[in-house]
Structure formats: C-alpha cells, structure tokens
Amino acid sequence: MPRHSAPLSGGSNNPRNNPRHQQRPAPRHGGQPGSSAPLPPSAGGAVSRGANEGLGAAAAAEAAVRAAREQRAAQAQRAAQQEAAAARRRAAASGPLDVDPSQPSGAPTQPQYGSRYQQQGGYDGYASAAGPRVMAPGAAGAVVSPYADQDRYKKKSNKKKAGIVSLVLLALLVVGGGVGAYLYLNPPTFNVTVNGMTRTVSQGTSPADIVADGVVSPKAGNLLAVDGAVLEEGGGTAFSGTINGNEITDPKTALHKGDTVQIVDGTDVTEEYDVEVIETEPGRAELGEGAIHVYVPGEKGKTEKRTGKVSGTVVEEVVTPVQNNVYLQYNANPGDEKVVALTFDDGPWDTTSELLDVLAENGAKATFFTIGRQIADQPKTMKKMVEAGHQIATHSWDHASAGDGRGVDMTRQTPEEQIEEVQKGQQAIADATGAEASKAFRSPGGNYHGDIIWNLQPYVTSEIGWNVDTEDWRRPGVDAIAQRIESAKSGDIILMHDGGGPRSQTIEALRIALPYLREQGFKFVTIDELLAYDDAKAIAQSLEEAQGQ
C-alpha cells in the first residue's frame, strides 16, 4: 500500500498549487488604467531566487516529517513484537495463546479504512497506534483460547462414533438376515419323496444321483434297430420318471425341498438312421351321390426310407398318407334351417329384368348360370343382378355349340374346347360386372361325367346339379311349374330358366310359389351360401375310410 505524506502547513508542495508562489502576470499593454508597471530586470531575478529558496526549504521540511514518521512506525513494530512474544510466553505457561489466532505472530492488526487511518499517515501511522488483538481475560485474569472448551468437541466426537457403530450394526443385521433367508429357502439338506419314500438329500442332488446311490434300481431300456429288433440290451435310457408330475428330461436336474420324484424303468431307444423322403402323387376318386358336385383337393403322401447307422437295416415308413383328389357328390344338409337355392339357366334374356323384380318383391336371392355370348347384349340386366346381390356363374360360352357338343353336351368336346367354354364364359361375366366370376359351374344339360371332370378341375371349384327340375323349359303351364317349386325340401336346389325362350310362365309361377315357401318358413340362398353348410373335406374323408374297410 503506498505511503501518504501529510501536507505541509501553509499549502501544497507544488509551487503551481501554492498561491504564495504564483506570480501575477504582467499586463500586455503598459500604461493602461489599473495596470502595474513592468518590473525591472533586477527585480525579476530577485523574485526567481526567492522562489527557489522557498522550494528547497519545503523539501527539507517534508523529508524531516517522513523520517520522524518512519521512526515512529519502527518503534511501534518493535513494541508489537515484544508484546506478542510476551503473550506467547504467558500462553505457554498458562494455556492456549491469548493472541487472536487469525493474526500471524507479531503482525499488527489489519487497519480499518477510516478517518484515523488517514490522519495517522496511512498504514505506518496506524500501526504505531494499534496494538495486538487478544482474547478477553477470564475470571482468573487468564486469556481464554477459542479451543479451551474441549468438552464440546469430545461430545461431537462421541456422537460421530456412535453413528458409525449403528451403521455397522445395521449392515450386519441386513447381511445376517439375507444369509438366514437364503439358508431357509436353500437348506444344505432337505427331504424329498422318492417313489413314495421320504429321503433326506443334500443340496444339488439329482434323480441320477438317487439312482447311482441305489435308492431305487430301475431297469435300463434297450437300443433298437430301425425295424424294432434289439441291438443292445440296456442300451436305451437308464431310467425315466417325473418330478412333481413333470417328465424328467434331464436326469441331472437338481431337486428342491419337498419335491415328489417318481422313477421307473428306462425306455427303448431306436438307433440313428439316414433318411430318404419319397413323395407320392395323389390319385383321383369320385365319391358320393347328390346334386352338389365339388372338388376336394388332394395332398401328396410322404414316405421315409430309413437306413440304420448301426444295423444297416432298411425300412420304409409312411409319414404323411397320400390324400386323393376327390370329386365329391352330396346333398346339402342345413340342419334345422329351412333353405332352398333358386337357380336360373340360359340367361340373360329380355324377360330376366322382370324376373328380378319378382325376386326382389319376395326378398329372394338366386344364382344365375349365364351364357357368355349373351351377356354383352344385356348390360343393364347384368348390372341389376349385381346390385340385387345375386350370384352370377357361367353355364358355358355358347351352350356347347362348338365342335361335337351339339349345343347340349360338353362331354363330346375336346379338352381344349371344354376349357375354352368355361374360360370365355367366366371372362364375359368379369367384363360385364367388373368383378371376378364365381368358380361355380353348371354344365349344359347337366352332362358332367368322365374325363371332363378332371379336365376342368383347375378352372372350377364345383359343378352344380339340381334336386327339383321344374321343366319350365317345356312351358308346361304356370300351375305345374309352381307346384314343382313348392315341393322343394330344405337343402334342395331348384332348376329353372330365365332365357332360351319365352319365360312368362316361370315368372308367374314364381309369383305364386315364393310367397308360399316364405309362409312355410323357407329362406332363399345362393349356391355359395348353400355350400357353406357342409364340410366337404370331412365328408370325403369319411367316404374314403368307408371304402377302405
């Protein structure tokens, strides 16, 4: 910290700041009123010498004051050091130091910035007046140290030690409890029940250990060849059994307290073998009788040819029995429901739209087997069929007119002509409706036997016959047609025509018969809805099994 000297009495040391040393400036123009006359040269020199003499005297006075101040500061420092030494001697004789421990030995107390600090000439002046800081004397006159209250520190130390001991004890209790719980759940020895007998076993004991210790003596199974012949007695599993009712898959499974173990004789094991898989293509079968004719796809059979690695024996074993492609014929069985399927052939025709109105009046759905080449001429009728929710399937492209079909019998056509009749008929439906045609099919004249069955299998899922033939194509009269419709039983398929000629008799017969059937509780369904009542695959399997017996 820089030292500050007290100003000299009578003004500043700087002659510029001392009014006594400043000269009044000479007037710039002599002779002006109120101005002083210029000094002669001799007078100017005298003034200059007087000023220099005044400056020298001031410097000497300041040096004297500074020396006196430094002397007082040195004396004060020596006095403080002596006092501090005396305090240390007293403290050594009677107890802790009486000097404030926050101050270094022999150092004066830090001065506070204030008027006395300034008046005494900075730090040096303050140090000469400030004495050492000491603690207030006690009752006996001794200086009290801040560390004199030893009991307080002893109490804090004892509390800390007690807390540590408590934590250690708590940790020991937790560890001890965990060990106890583990030993309770996993005792070193415990009881199990083996074949109805209570046995005490050690931890880690397995069923294999029980057998090895002779607690039970099961008989091992044999090693067998692929044909079942015994290759090695006792070469199978050593034993088999259960633990708490669960099969023993690993003989070295560790047992637990309270387990119930049942150990019995071992099982036979077949030797390892090489396998060659032989596939069998499905055959064809025509089964059953009825108006519904559906295809039940077959499945390839799989047979394994096994060659034993030990014995060299070769055997063949059927893994998956072959299932034939079945052309199944049956009648629908709707159970307790009363349903009939109305079907119409040879349309669409000019009168088909009127027939659709009669069906709508009676809430009846039907299936239309259409002639493909006639569809393009009846776009409105086809749209009306679709919007009413009827099923649309093909009845061939031109009613078997190509080749030797003679307009009624597709069985006389070549396989290519048969396929073309179906595919073109289905495409005409798709073009008119914008949707894929039904895969149901009705062959012209109901002629569907022989090779045509398998020729068309990839293209149709069913060929639909009928249970009731109204013979409306003969136009026998309205009453005759109506009576035949009313004779239908639940599950029957009724054959009618909406094309191929005038169909006014059929339309009028429907006006009579449909209300009657509704009164009898019948519901009118499409062919697909009728097929859904039965499990064709289950029927086919049942018939095949019956044939095999």
Side-chain angles (χ1 to χ4, degrees):
M1 183 174 182
R3 296 181 178 180
H4 299 279
S5 300
L8 295 174
S9 60
S12 170
N13 292 332
N14 191 341
R16 294 180 180 273
N17 297 329
N18 194 331
R20 293 181 301 174
H21 296 164
Q22 293 181 358
Q23 297 180 2
R24 185 181 301 274
R28 298 180 63 181
H29 303 284
Q32 291 183 355
S35 63
S36 301
L39 294 176
S42 59
V47 172
S48 177
R49 287 193 298 271
N52 291 334
E53 291 175 359
L55 290 173
E62 182 179 2
V65 171
R66 185 183 304 110
R69 186 166 57 248
E70 291 176 352
Q71 184 177 5
R72 287 195 302 272
Q75 291 174 353
Q77 184 175 6
R78 285 194 297 272
Q81 291 175 349
Q82 292 173 359
E83 182 64 25
R88 286 195 296 273
R89 287 193 297 272
R90 289 194 301 272
S94 60
L97 293 175
D98 56 356
V99 180
D100 187 348
S102 64
Q103 298 293 334
S105 175
T109 304
Q110 181 69 26
Q112 299 295 320
Y113 189 81
S115 60
R116 187 177 66 172
Y117 172 75
Q118 293 175 333
Q119 293 172 0
Q120 294 182 354
Y123 181 80
D124 292 338
Y126 179 83
S128 63
R133 294 179 62 188
V134 297
M135 302 299 293
V143 177
V144 179
S145 170
Y147 303 101
D149 189 2
Q150 297 294 328
D151 291 340
R152 179 180 63 179
Y153 295 99
K154 289 180 180 179
K155 290 178 181 179
K156 290 184 178 180
S157 177
N158 290 338
K159 289 181 180 179
K160 184 175 182 180
K161 290 180 180 178
I164 294 174
V165 171
S166 299
L167 290 175
V168 172
L169 291 176
L170 179 60
L172 291 175
L173 287 174
V174 171
V175 173
V179 172
Y182 176 80
L183 292 177
Y184 176 78
L185 297 174
N186 301 276
T189 61
F190 49 84
N191 291 338
V192 297
T193 301
V194 180
N195 289 10
M197 301 178 294
T198 300
R199 304 289 300 183
T200 300
V201 298
S202 59
Q203 189 173 0
T205 299
S206 67
D209 296 328
I210 291 176
V211 174
D213 292 342
V215 176
V216 291
S217 300
K219 182 180 178 181
N222 298 324
L223 176 63
L224 305 179
V226 290
D227 62 352
V230 177
L231 292 177
E232 179 185 351
E233 292 187 359
T237 60
F239 63 90
S240 58
T242 60
I243 300 176
N244 300 326
N246 300 315
E247 182 181 359
I248 298 174
T249 56
D250 182 2
K252 295 185 178 181
T253 300
L255 299 177
H256 299 88
K257 180 180 178 181
D259 281 350
T260 299
V261 184
Q262 188 70 29
I263 296 177
V264 296
D265 291 343
T267 57
D268 295 337
V269 176
T270 301
E271 65 174 326
E272 294 184 356
Y273 50 84
D274 295 321
V275 178
E276 178 185 353
V277 177
I278 302 172
E279 291 188 344
T280 304
E281 292 294 330
R284 295 171 176 174
E286 298 178 25
L287 302 174
E289 294 180 354
I292 298 173
H293 315 142
V294 298
Y295 292 96
V296 179
E299 294 181 6
K300 292 181 179 180
K302 289 185 179 180
T303 301
E304 287 187 353
K305 182 179 180 181
R306 301 173 179 176
T307 303
K309 292 185 177 182
V310 177
S311 65
T313 303
V314 178
V315 296
E316 291 186 359
E317 183 169 335
V318 175
V319 178
T320 304
V322 63
Q323 295 184 9
N324 291 325
N325 292 307
V326 176
Y327 176 66
L328 176 66
Q329 303 176 70
Y330 70 97
N331 290 315
N333 180 16
D336 295 334
E337 293 189 49
K338 299 179 71 174
V339 299
V340 292
L342 306 176
T343 64
F344 299 91
D345 290 1
D346 297 344
W349 205 257
D350 293 340
T351 54
T352 301
S353 180
E354 184 180 357
L355 187 148
L356 290 171
D357 292 337
V358 175
L359 295 177
E361 291 169 2
N362 290 274
K365 296 291 180 63
T367 302
F368 289 85
F369 291 100
T370 59
I371 300 300
R373 69 180 182 181
Q374 298 171 186
I375 290 177
D377 296 333
Q378 300 289 340
K380 292 183 179 179
T381 299
M382 294 297 295
K383 181 179 180 182
K384 192 173 182 178
M385 282 184 192
V386 173
E387 291 176 348
H390 300 295
Q391 182 175 345
I392 305 174
T394 188
H395 190 40
S396 76
W397 169 251
D398 61 2
H399 214 277
S401 296
D404 292 335
R406 301 177 184 178
V408 69
D409 192 352
M410 285 179 58
T411 63
R412 295 174 177 271
Q413 294 178 316
T414 65
E416 293 77 17
E417 290 171 340
Q418 294 168 351
I419 294 170
E420 185 178 23
E421 287 275 7
V422 171
Q423 287 187 318
K424 289 180 68 175
Q426 291 173 339
Q427 187 60 48
I429 295 171
D431 293 342
T433 64
E436 185 179 3
S438 168
K439 295 300 182 182
F441 171 64
R442 175 172 283 166
S443 184
N447 297 306
Y448 203 75
H449 52 81
D451 292 341
I452 192 174
I453 294 174
W454 306 110
N455 292 340
L456 295 183
Q457 181 187 12
Y459 308 98
V460 300
T461 57
S462 60
E463 197 280 327
I464 304 302
W466 54 85
N467 302 102
V468 177
D469 184 358
T470 62
E471 297 187 359
D472 61 338
W473 60 276
R474 297 177 183 272
R475 294 190 290 277
V478 173
D479 291 339
I481 298 172
Q483 288 175 3
R484 289 169 183 167
I485 296 173
E486 293 172 355
S487 68
K489 300 182 295 296
S490 181
D492 281 352
I493 300 172
I494 303 173
L495 171 62
M496 292 171 281
H497 296 77
D498 67 316
R503 297 301 173 212
S504 59
Q505 290 185 9
T506 302
I507 294 173
E508 292 303 318
L510 288 171
R511 295 185 192 276
I512 298 171
L514 294 186
Y516 171 81
L517 291 175
R518 290 178 60 192
E519 291 175 359
Q520 301 301 312
F522 280 93
K523 182 171 65 174
F524 307 105
V525 297
T526 65
I527 288 298
D528 281 352
E529 290 171 339
L530 185 66
L531 297 183
Y533 283 101
D534 297 284
D535 185 346
K537 185 174 182 178
I539 296 173
Q541 289 178 346
S542 177
L543 292 174
E544 280 194 303
E545 291 173 359
Q547 281 189 344
Q549 293 178 353

